[in-house]
Amino acid sequence: MGNASETFLLVSRISKEYDFIMGTLYTIFGVLSILGNGILLFVAYRKKSSLKPAEYFVVNLAISDLSMTMSLFPAAIPSTFAHMWLFNETVCTIYAFCGVWFGLCSLTNLTVLASVCWLKVCCPNYGNKFSYCHACLLVAGVWCYAAVFAVGPLSGWGEYGAEPYGTACCINWHAPSKNSAAMSYIICLFFFCYIVPCTIIFLSYTFILLTVRGSRQAVQQHVSPQNKITNAHALIIKLSVAVCIGFLSAWSPYAIVSMWAAFGNPSDVPPMAFAMAAIFAKSSTLYNPIVYLVFKPNFRKSVCRDMAYCRRLCGCLCKHSSTQRGLCKQSQHKEECTSTRNSNGLPENHRTCRHCPCPERVAGIRDQFPEYSPQLTARILTGSLHSEVAVSQLSTELQSDFL
């Protein structure tokens, strides 16, 4: 750990009390981000064979959030507690590069995710053709797009430097007032990495909500079931909207303060304003796993199913006592007895399925018939009629859609 260059702002420009609060918040954010994104990636790895193409962007978002946490927090936390930047110029540049690259990657990833959701919901004829190959190409494009703007300051287009509050590094917001190249970089960064993505996200979800609203009205009027938005679409909409709202709420304060410094007099911007904006920005790494815990039932179910493998990571989700595990399994089994489930884990309650015994009878039946196993059923809708058949009797394509 070397001393910082003399041209750098070494000492924090905010009080030690605020630095201590920032360091404490960074520590909490870092631990929760590692736990949450780590569990999300672990679950995604365990169910990698059943991931949908659109879920690749959620996994990619967790990767970028975890990368930001691992690259920024180890330097930010000790510097904040020390009330000064503890590292040299090279570390400052790497820190700023990682912050810009992973931050822009997350925002671009959310933009692409919103566009894919719009395509699948509003243009199903094209959205149904969206494949894993398309998803992988778009994920690679997300990283390349973010890399263009992250590499810019390293090649002379823009400049990296110390944050105005003194204990972190990012884009040098004083540079635009000194040279035109830095000003053009800030303008392009603000337009292509904030205005355009926010506009695309806003328009995509506006059209999606309008489509869902029209579809519900059509279903209520007994229009063809083909126009109905499935539960899977509704779930991915809730997930994506929640993640985007959280992310944009985190980064908007930093964007506003940065534009204030770039297009105005940087000396007029209070250092505490940048410090508060940085706290909001770094909290963005928490939203992705929290949203999945709240909105996606099969995510929680996967965590409980893999409890033996992630007991050290998710003790707050899956209790260790055998009594609570038994109650959890019993409630899950009872719920599955009275409902069929889509691929997204949402129940569609009908009546008790004829092939699934109630939990009170399972133990006795298994004692008498060791080879017995409950049979999963599905309802096939044809016009206004329906019939119930075993899932094993469906075609391979219908089985994959149902399960």
Side-chain angles (χ1 to χ4, degrees):
M1 180 174 66
N3 293 326
S5 173
E6 292 295 333
T7 59
F8 271 64
L9 185 62
L10 303 179
V11 180
S12 174
R13 297 180 60 189
I14 61 178
S15 66
K16 291 185 178 181
E17 291 76 12
Y18 286 131
D19 267 335
F20 180 81
I21 295 174
M22 286 183 62
T24 303
L25 291 176
Y26 285 170
T27 303
I28 296 173
F29 291 166
V31 172
L32 294 180
S33 177
I34 292 174
L35 289 177
N37 289 293
I39 292 174
L40 179 57
L41 291 176
F42 176 78
V43 172
Y45 173 78
R46 294 282 295 175
K47 62 189 292 287
K48 58 182 180 295
S49 60
S50 60
L51 286 177
K52 306 298 181 183
E55 291 178 327
Y56 277 33
F57 300 105
V58 179
V59 175
N60 188 49
L61 183 60
I63 293 175
S64 62
D65 287 343
L66 189 60
S67 300
M68 179 181 290
T69 301
M70 299 297 292
S71 60
L72 301 190
F73 284 85
I77 292 174
S79 296
T80 304
F81 282 122
H83 198 56
M84 63 179 295
W85 177 252
L86 296 175
F87 305 91
N88 57 23
E89 183 178 356
T90 302
V91 176
C92 179
T93 302
I94 295 174
Y95 180 100
F97 170 80
C98 292
V100 173
W101 190 25
F102 296 134
L104 293 182
C105 180
S106 297
L107 181 58
T108 308
N109 189 84
L110 290 173
T111 305
V112 176
L113 178 59
S115 302
V116 171
C117 290
W118 168 81
L119 186 67
K120 293 181 72 66
V121 175
C122 301
C123 305
N125 291 334
Y126 298 98
N128 292 334
K129 298 178 182 179
F130 188 78
S131 64
Y132 295 97
C133 181
H134 297 147
C136 292
L137 290 176
L138 287 176
V139 167
V142 164
W143 286 94
C144 293
Y145 184 85
V148 170
F149 292 93
V151 174
L154 299 179
S155 60
W157 187 39
E159 184 180 334
Y160 287 135
E163 287 272 28
Y165 56 90
T167 56
C169 298
C170 192
I171 297 170
N172 187 351
W173 303 111
H174 294 269
S177 60
K178 300 177 182 179
N179 62 79
S180 57
M183 177 60 74
S184 65
Y185 173 77
I186 295 299
I187 293 174
C188 292
L189 183 70
F190 183 68
F191 182 77
F192 291 104
C193 298
Y194 187 77
I195 297 297
V196 172
C198 289
T199 302
I200 294 176
I201 290 172
F202 176 78
L203 292 178
S204 296
Y205 289 117
T206 298
F207 288 128
I208 287 173
L209 294 177
L210 292 176
T211 302
V212 171
R213 180 180 178 183
S215 175
R216 288 177 178 174
Q217 293 177 353
V219 170
Q220 291 175 358
Q221 296 174 3
H222 305 288
V223 179
S224 172
Q226 294 179 353
N227 295 327
K228 182 180 180 181
I229 300 297
T230 63
N231 286 333
H233 285 166
L235 180 63
I236 197 65
I237 292 169
K238 293 178 181 179
L239 289 170
S240 304
V241 169
V243 171
C244 289
I245 290 177
F247 187 88
L248 295 178
S249 299
W251 282 99
S252 293
Y254 195 87
I256 294 172
V257 174
S258 300
M259 292 306 101
W260 181 9
F263 296 102
N265 186 357
S267 301
D268 294 338
V269 183
M272 194 61 199
F274 265 104
M276 294 297 296
I279 292 176
F280 278 99
K282 287 182 173 61
S283 68
S284 64
T285 59
L286 307 178
Y287 296 136
N288 188 32
I290 290 177
V291 167
Y292 261 66
L293 273 174
V294 172
F295 285 99
K296 198 163 187 180
N298 66 343
F299 174 75
R300 297 191 301 270
K301 185 177 179 181
S302 297
V303 172
C304 290
R305 184 186 303 152
D306 298 329
M307 183 180 55
Y309 300 95
C310 59
R311 183 176 301 171
R312 297 177 181 177
L313 298 178
C314 57
C316 59
L317 298 178
C318 303
K319 304 299 183 182
H320 296 289
S321 63
S322 59
T323 303
Q324 290 172 334
R325 285 202 301 267
L327 292 175
C328 178
K329 293 180 180 179
Q330 184 177 4
S331 62
Q332 288 179 359
H333 189 84
K334 183 180 296 184
E335 183 179 1
E336 291 176 357
C337 284
T338 57
S339 66
T340 57
R341 287 186 175 269
N342 293 325
S343 61
N344 59 3
L346 291 177
E348 283 189 356
N349 293 318
H350 300 291
R351 59 183 176 83
T352 303
C353 55
R354 64 184 68 175
H355 298 289
C356 183
C358 293
E360 293 79 4
R361 300 173 56 192
V362 171
I365 294 177
R366 287 182 176 175
D367 293 339
Q368 298 178 11
F369 305 98
E371 301 296 328
Y372 173 79
S373 62
Q375 190 172 13
L376 190 62
T377 64
R379 289 187 176 228
I380 308 299
L381 301 178
T382 305
S384 61
L385 300 177
H386 66 268
S387 59
E388 186 175 297
V389 299
V391 172
S392 59
Q393 298 177 3
L394 299 175
S395 64
T396 304
E397 181 178 359
L398 288 178
Q399 285 189 34
S400 63
D401 291 339
F402 179 77
L403 297 175

